[in-house]
Amino acid sequence: MSHASYMREALLEAQLAAEKGEVPIGAVVVAEGNIVGRGHDLRESLCDASAHAEILAMREAAKLMGDWRLNHATLYVTIEPCAMCAGAIVQFRVRRLVYGAPNAKSGSVDTILDIVHQPKFNHRVEVISGVMEDECREIMQKFFRELRNK
């Protein structure tokens, strides 16, 4: 499957979040061509500020794979990760991060900070950005537009 194929899976997760009234961010973890973790934002539902799509997907992948080190995995996420998630990506030792749209308010991979490439960390992450950027941006914009109109 291509990067776009996996990003479509992350967008399906984002849609699940939107249907629950959560910020529509979705993520999937892929290892050896298989999706081994899925997640979408559940902060409101779980009353948990750490229940971001990325963290939930990485937790599921680590549990399924029996190892917290995801150094052979790629994380696909619809929006550039925040500082918490970027730090978790480093801690989980994710090999590659692929994200859709930049995050102007809290992006911590390319936009505001660059946590995943810090030379003093013992792990750095390969990053590919802009995969299905328009679709990833649109689901967020639509969600917040509808929220403001309520």
Side-chain angles (χ1 to χ4, degrees):
M1 288 176 64
S2 67
H3 290 315
S5 298
Y6 292 120
M7 189 60 75
R8 276 191 276 286
E9 293 294 321
L11 280 163
L12 290 174
E13 289 293 322
Q15 184 59 43
L16 290 174
E19 291 168 6
K20 295 174 182 176
E22 299 278 356
V23 174
I25 299 173
V28 296
V29 177
V30 175
E32 298 179 6
N34 298 308
I35 295 175
V36 295
R38 292 177 174 274
H40 54 270
D41 271 29
L42 289 173
R43 290 186 302 172
E44 301 299 330
S45 300
L46 298 178
C47 296
D48 181 351
S50 72
H52 287 206
E54 302 94 311
I55 290 178
L56 297 174
M58 290 185 294
R59 284 178 182 162
E60 183 176 282
K63 186 174 184 180
L64 181 72
M65 296 174 70
D67 191 352
W68 60 267
R69 294 170 198 84
L70 302 177
N71 53 358
H72 297 296
T74 299
L75 172 66
Y76 291 83
V77 62
T78 55
I79 301 298
E80 178 185 3
C82 69
M84 175 180 67
C85 292
I89 290 165
V90 171
Q91 292 302 311
F92 273 99
R93 307 297 195 264
V94 171
R95 181 174 146 238
R96 179 185 305 123
L97 166 67
V98 179
Y99 72 86
N103 182 343
K105 295 188 179 199
S106 63
S108 296
V109 173
D110 291 317
T111 304
I112 296 173
L113 298 172
D114 179 5
I115 291 174
V116 300
H117 293 115
Q118 290 303 311
K120 291 186 178 183
F121 289 163
N122 65 345
H123 180 76
R124 278 170 275 319
V125 180
E126 176 188 342
V127 176
I128 299 170
S129 62
V131 174
M132 298 186 69
E133 181 175 344
D134 293 339
E135 295 89 334
C136 293
R137 180 183 299 109
E138 177 56 33
I139 195 170
M140 291 285 282
Q141 289 175 339
K142 179 182 178 204
F143 176 81
F144 285 109
R145 189 169 44 247
E146 289 174 359
L147 192 63
R148 284 189 299 274
N149 290 334
K150 286 184 180 180

